[in-house]
Amino acid sequence: MGKQIWKPGNMLYPLPAVMVSAGDKEGNTNILTIAWTGTICTNPAMVYISVRPERYSYQMIRDTREFVINLTTEKLVRATDYCGVKSGRDVDKWKEMNLHQEKASTLEYAPLIAESPVNIECKVTEVKELGSHHMFLAEVTAVHADEAYMNEKNKFELNETGLLAYSHGEYLGMGEKLGTFGYSVKKKQTKKRK
């Protein structure tokens, strides 16, 4: 069997499906679902989101230069989808999805989503107008991790939260662990004789 050649397009999947919260200087807030997001740099910690300019939250982020990336879980899949297909111009997504706002520690306008296991506070450093989407490059200014997922050794068990992924129009659970970073080259432990 061969492979078909398609026109250029975005087929880089799976992606994180995150809910981004934003606010404006008048006190209005909104949530939008983003799949075009990722890590840019470790030091300083930087991320990006790409947003269509016609989205309701776009101007909030552009004006305040801040947003929060809220990781999503299987429990939040309905809210994740709803916040991606409904506009904040028409509905109060917080109310409709029974989500709750928490005050960010380093941001003035964008709130955290309380139900998310991880909230990443971001301050925009640059906006790249690239076409259908504009990319907001941002420095991470704080990360909130839900203490419910701390183990007895005080390690955060992120993969126990039921993280959600987005792939080719579908939301997926993360499934079972297949390996750990570096396992393919790790030397096998030999038992010492006593």
Side-chain angles (χ1 to χ4, degrees):
M1 277 221 285
K3 293 184 179 176
Q4 295 179 7
I5 298 175
W6 294 353
K7 68 179 182 177
N10 294 323
M11 287 295 288
L12 183 61
Y13 293 113
L15 299 165
V18 301
M19 290 189 285
V20 171
S21 46
D24 65 21
K25 294 176 181 177
E26 287 73 48
N28 302 303
T29 60
N30 192 47
I31 306 166
L32 74 154
T33 300
I34 298 280
W36 310 149
T37 185
T39 298
I40 297 174
C41 187
T42 301
N43 191 14
M46 292 189 71
V47 295
Y48 78 92
I49 60 171
S50 292
V51 183
R52 289 181 180 271
E54 59 269 19
R55 297 293 298 265
Y56 179 61
S57 292
Y58 174 87
Q59 204 57 51
M60 291 178 175
I61 297 167
R62 186 94 191 207
D63 291 346
T64 64
R65 301 186 70 77
E66 62 180 46
F67 59 88
V68 179
I69 295 175
N70 303 275
L71 298 191
T72 57
T73 63
E74 292 176 26
K75 291 179 184 174
L76 293 169
V77 67
R78 186 170 184 278
T80 302
D81 184 62
Y82 186 91
C83 291
V85 296
K86 290 290 190 178
S87 174
R89 290 183 187 92
D90 305 323
V91 296
D92 180 344
K93 299 177 190 180
W94 299 96
K95 181 181 174 189
E96 294 299 318
M97 292 292 101
N98 196 28
L99 297 173
H100 301 89
Q101 298 182 34
E102 288 183 351
K103 178 80 176 108
S105 62
T106 63
L107 307 179
E108 191 172 345
Y109 306 104
L112 314 177
I113 297 175
E115 291 74 13
S116 173
V118 176
N119 317 93
I120 305 167
E121 296 184 25
C122 305
K123 289 189 179 178
V124 176
T125 59
E126 187 178 348
V127 181
K128 292 192 167 287
E129 298 182 7
L130 300 172
S132 64
H133 291 68
H134 293 180
M135 180 185 284
F136 292 96
L137 286 78
E139 188 166 346
V140 174
T141 56
V143 176
H144 302 254
D146 189 334
E147 291 178 342
Y149 297 99
M150 301 297 284
N151 70 17
E152 63 281 348
K153 295 180 181 175
N154 208 31
K155 178 184 179 231
F156 186 62
E157 298 285 354
L158 178 62
N159 294 329
E160 299 300 316
T161 64
L163 291 171
L164 196 62
Y166 178 81
S167 181
H168 202 57
E170 298 177 334
Y171 301 102
L172 306 167
M174 296 297 291
E176 67 181 83
K177 179 172 80 172
L178 302 176
T180 58
F181 180 76
Y183 84 99
S184 64
V185 295
K186 188 175 182 180
K187 292 182 181 177
K188 292 184 179 179
Q189 297 282 335
T190 56
K191 293 183 180 180
K192 294 181 180 179
R193 292 185 178 181
K194 293 182 180 182

